[in-house]
């Protein structure tokens, strides 16, 4: 079993809040990310896939192909967008990095399998110091 990772980047706006809470309560729970006027992050996304090396190519899977899939399925939907308002797979969810990682997994899993590999980890980094990893369960 071998693991390969592709990094992609996007920037997006969001707000962490519960509509049933006041701005003060949201600030208390979600901190600066609850700013009612939105704010952005420069996110990094690391997608790790696993599988066996193809003897005829020496690859698990062509990284160019993986990059294309990530861009088509995820980056186009997220880059320069408002996650709360404009991103289909995040509708009805809190726009946290945790939920984003789970949502991205859902967007990628099937296509990765169709390419002959398995999704292993979706890592989303919101800032230099904070990142989330999701392993599918
Ligand atoms: Ni934030």
């Amino acid at each position: 079993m071998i693991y390969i990772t592709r990094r992609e980047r996007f920037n997006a706006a969001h707000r962490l809040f519960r509509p049933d809470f006041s701005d003060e309560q949201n600030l208390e729970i979600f901190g600066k990310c609850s700013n009612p006027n939105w704010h952005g992050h420069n996110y990094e996304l690391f997608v790790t896939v696993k599988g066996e090396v193809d003897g005829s190519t020496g690859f698990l899977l062509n990284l160019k192909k993986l990059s294309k899939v990530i861009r088509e399925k995820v980056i186009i939907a997220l880059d320069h967008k408002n996650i709360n308002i404009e991103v289909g797979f995040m509708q009805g969810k809190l726009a946290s990095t945790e939920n984003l990682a789970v949502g991205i997994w859902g967007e990628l899993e099937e296509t990765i399998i169709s390419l002959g590999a398995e999704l292993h980890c979706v890592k989303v980094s919101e800032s230099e110091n904070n990142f989330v990893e999701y392993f599918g369960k």
Side-chain angles (χ1 to χ4, degrees), residues 54-66:
D54 178 337
S56 63
T57 61
F59 294 153
L60 160 58
L61 122 87
N62 188 315
L63 276 168
K64 254 193 191 162
K65 228 183 232 177
L66 179 59

Side-chain angles (χ1 to χ4, degrees), residues 14-16 32-34 39-41 43 95 126:
H14 81 155
R15 181 191 177 199
L16 291 180
K32 287 198 286 189
C33 276
S34 77
H39 64 281
H41 294 279
Y43 291 91
E126 189 189 75

Side-chain angles (χ1 to χ4, degrees), residues 4 10 16-20 23 28 31-32 36 39-40 43 50-51 54 59 75 77-79 83 92-93 105 121-122:
I4 58 172
F10 61 94
L16 291 180
F17 74 112
R18 290 184 57 109
D20 53 329
D23 284 352
E28 169 96 28
K32 287 198 286 189
H39 64 281
Y43 291 91
K50 62 185 173 187
D54 178 337
F59 294 153
I75 301 297
L78 287 165
D79 192 34
I83 295 170
K93 298 177 193 167
W105 180 286
C121 178
V122 168

Side-chain angles (χ1 to χ4, degrees), residues 98-136:
E98 288 86 337
N99 285 340
L100 196 51
V102 174
I104 289 170
W105 180 286
E107 293 302 291
L108 291 175
E109 188 175 24
E110 241 174 67
T111 311
I112 303 290
I113 291 169
S114 77
L115 294 176
E118 249 185 279
L119 197 48
H120 174 67
C121 178
V122 168
K123 173 176 163 183
V124 182
S125 136
E126 189 189 75
S127 68
E128 248 176 81
N129 297 324
N130 299 331
F131 61 86
V132 166
E133 290 171 297
Y134 182 58
F135 296 90

